[in-house]
């Protein structure tokens, strides 16, 4: 039987590269496109090494409709996973036009080309940022979305709406938005992982770089929040588990198992972990001492958010499997691998 092919936009990025590995492992063919705005060819090469598959790759910016059209003309795929987007909250506040331009036009191009070429299934990378500061924990897919606090968050809400409306309007088009909680960790091979450029903005890359001696000291942003230990709470989801959620979502549409043409799923573990707990676990699991200090709160941080992943568990047949300890060990192994290469 001919294998289904999946277009992976942003497939050289952190989540895209892990998802490509899991798609191949699940028996799909892929075509990866990326413009290397926040990644490089080494990720694609390492995905090829991990999978042993000769993965087709096209260096294309999804905002370039003519270039993307050539990918649609050349490759026969019925499904797409659309990762390609800018993702830094702070940067989006400084460069709103770039964020709206890039994140909206890349999705619009993918969707309009899917329509033109009669391609059917799309998974969109959304974020728990759409819930803002929730009134009740854990959040379900029914928890109301709140006004976004950054242009980045706004693009996620707008893209969800664009997808919902497109699926409603165009016969045969189906879409799933996956709302990621906080993806962390790396592939167990330590060949792919997160590649932050410059000073990391996210917690786990900052922790691993501090442990590696690249950063002097981790700042824990706030210990006076109304949480048990005073630091913020998040739902940290292993990137390999997250990658598998994409495979489950694609399979659901290919097999026609969806309950509605447009569906939304939370992708998290269901467990809230504080910043201080995470720092503590990282040190224990990896046997390293981390230099950290309590610093003032970071503007715009949500106090606490974690997922109710029941819908993904029951409908997608997907569940987070890796423990926090395994994930933190993988994050450290990846950091050490990067340093060995230097
Ligand atoms: N934190 C620190 N020190 C650091 C970095 C982070 O204490 O050096 C804290 C933050 O204050 C926060 C927690 O660690 O309490 C997690 O922060 P991250 O920056 O790792 O993640 P966020 O929850 O702020 O943001 C992430 C993604 C966004 C996404 C958001 C919600 O980075 O893209 O989740 O989906 F929008």
């Amino acid at each position: 039987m001919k294998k289904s092919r999946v277009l992976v936009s942003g497939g050289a990025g952190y989540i895209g590269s892990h998802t490509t590995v899991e798609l191949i492992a699940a028996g799909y063919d892929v075509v990866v496109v990326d413009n290397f705005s926040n990644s490089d060819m080494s990720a694609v090469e390492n995905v090829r090494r991990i999978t042993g598959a000769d993965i087709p790759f096209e260096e294309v910016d999804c905002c370039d409709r003519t270039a993307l059209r050539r990918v649609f003309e050349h490759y026969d795929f019925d499904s797409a996973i659309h990762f390609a987007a800018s993702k830094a909250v702070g940067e989006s506040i400084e460069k709103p036009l770039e964020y709206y331009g890039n994140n909206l036009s890349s999705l619009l191009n993918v969707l309009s080309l899917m329509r033109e070429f009669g391609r059917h299934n799309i998974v969109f990378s959304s974020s728990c940022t759409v819930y803002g500061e929730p009134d009740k924990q854990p959040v379900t897919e029914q928890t109301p979305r709140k006004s976004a606090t950054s242009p980045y968050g706004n693009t996620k809400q707008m893209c969800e709406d664009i997808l919902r409306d497109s699926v409603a309007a165009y016969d045969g088009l189906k879409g799933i938005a996956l709302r990621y909680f906080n993806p962390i960790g790396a592939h167990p091979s330590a060949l792919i992982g997160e590649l932050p450029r410059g000073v990391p903005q996210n917690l786990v890359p900052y922790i691993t770089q501090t442990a590696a001696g690249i950063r002097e000291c981790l700042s824990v942003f706030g210990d006076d929040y109304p949480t048990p230990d005073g630091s913020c709470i998040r739902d940290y989801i292993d990137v390999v588990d997250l990658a598998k959620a994409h495979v489950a979502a694609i399979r659901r549409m290919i097999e026609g198992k969806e309950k509605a043409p447009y569906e939304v799923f939370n992708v998290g573990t269901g467990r809230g972990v504080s910043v201080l707990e995470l720092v503590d676990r990282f040190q224990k699991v990896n046997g390293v001492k981390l230099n950290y200090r309590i610093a003032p709160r970071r503007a715009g941080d949500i106090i606490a958010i974690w997922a109710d992943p029941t819908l993904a568990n029951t409908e997608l047949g997907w569940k987070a499997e890796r423990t926090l300890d395994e994930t933190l060990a993988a994050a450290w192994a990846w950091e050490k691998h990067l340093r060995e290469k230097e």
Side-chain angles (χ1 to χ4, degrees), residues 87-89 127-130 152 180-183 200-206 218-222 225 231-234 236 275 298 301-303:
K87 63 165 187 178
V89 177
S127 163
C128 69
T129 197
V130 302
Y152 159 78
Y180 313 155
F181 283 67
N182 285 54
Q201 304 299 310
N202 296 117
L203 180 59
V204 170
Y206 208 104
L218 168 77
S219 295
V220 171
F221 297 137
Y225 284 103
S231 63
C232 292
I233 296 175
R234 296 287 183 276
Y236 295 95
V275 175
R298 182 172 73 175
D301 266 340
I302 303 283
I303 302 167

Side-chain angles (χ1 to χ4, degrees), residues 157-235:
Q157 295 194 345
M158 293 165 92
C159 285
E160 283 193 356
D161 294 346
I162 290 168
L163 181 56
R164 180 202 59 206
D165 295 347
S166 303
V167 160
Y170 306 129
D171 257 2
L173 185 66
K174 304 194 276 196
I176 291 181
L178 296 180
R179 291 179 178 160
Y180 313 155
F181 283 67
N182 285 54
I184 63 165
H187 193 263
S189 64
L191 286 171
I192 50 171
E194 199 168 1
L195 273 176
R197 294 207 169 149
V199 181
Q201 304 299 310
N202 296 117
L203 180 59
V204 170
Y206 208 104
I207 289 178
T208 56
Q209 289 197 6
T210 306
I214 299 157
R215 311 278 156 210
E216 218 167 280
C217 182
L218 168 77
S219 295
V220 171
F221 297 137
D223 70 345
D224 56 354
Y225 284 103
T227 59
D229 65 18
S231 63
C232 292
I233 296 175
R234 296 287 183 276
D235 184 335

Side-chain angles (χ1 to χ4, degrees), residues 8-252:
V8 186
S9 79
Y14 177 40
I15 305 168
S17 57
H18 289 80
T19 299
T20 303
V21 169
E22 297 307 321
L23 283 166
I24 302 283
Y28 294 96
D29 277 336
V30 298
V31 51
V32 170
V33 306
D34 206 296
N35 66 353
F36 297 140
S37 61
N38 195 26
S39 58
D40 57 52
M41 193 61 196
S42 68
V44 179
E45 279 157 7
N46 284 330
V47 169
R48 288 177 178 152
R49 270 176 74 187
I50 294 168
T51 57
D54 187 18
I55 293 164
F57 172 79
E58 302 290 342
E59 186 174 342
V60 163
D61 184 337
C62 292
C63 294
D64 179 347
R65 202 168 190 280
T66 311
L68 190 59
R69 160 186 283 280
R70 281 197 286 270
V71 176
F72 275 76
E73 280 165 355
H74 191 74
Y75 294 92
D76 182 19
F77 54 84
D78 201 33
S79 306
I81 306 182
H82 182 56
F83 293 104
S86 307
K87 63 165 187 178
V89 177
E91 188 185 51
S92 79
I93 295 167
E94 282 152 33
K95 300 178 180 171
L97 294 179
E98 278 91 334
Y99 269 66
Y100 287 114
N102 187 28
N103 290 6
L104 298 187
S105 81
S106 62
L107 176 69
L108 291 171
N109 283 341
V110 171
L111 281 174
S112 63
L113 287 166
M114 284 183 72
R115 189 173 167 235
E116 184 184 328
F117 284 80
R119 314 285 165 92
H120 295 106
N121 314 313
I122 176 165
V123 173
F124 173 67
S125 297
S126 191
S127 163
C128 69
T129 197
V130 302
Y131 297 116
E133 180 82 64
D135 298 325
K136 232 175 86 192
Q137 303 289 351
V139 294
T140 74
E141 291 77 359
Q142 265 65 55
T143 299
R145 293 188 331 188
K146 291 207 177 150
S147 317
T149 52
S150 69
Y152 159 78
N154 210 12
T155 66
K156 290 296 171 194
Q157 295 194 345
M158 293 165 92
C159 285
E160 283 193 356
D161 294 346
I162 290 168
L163 181 56
R164 180 202 59 206
D165 295 347
S166 303
V167 160
Y170 306 129
D171 257 2
L173 185 66
K174 304 194 276 196
I176 291 181
L178 296 180
R179 291 179 178 160
Y180 313 155
F181 283 67
N182 285 54
I184 63 165
H187 193 263
S189 64
L191 286 171
I192 50 171
E194 199 168 1
L195 273 176
R197 294 207 169 149
V199 181
Q201 304 299 310
N202 296 117
L203 180 59
V204 170
Y206 208 104
I207 289 178
T208 56
Q209 289 197 6
T210 306
I214 299 157
R215 311 278 156 210
E216 218 167 280
C217 182
L218 168 77
S219 295
V220 171
F221 297 137
D223 70 345
D224 56 354
Y225 284 103
T227 59
D229 65 18
S231 63
C232 292
I233 296 175
R234 296 287 183 276
D235 184 335
Y236 295 95
I237 174 77
D238 185 278
V239 68
V240 175
D241 282 334
L242 175 57
K244 289 177 179 167
H246 292 80
V247 177
I250 282 290
R251 186 182 293 128
R252 179 176 177 86

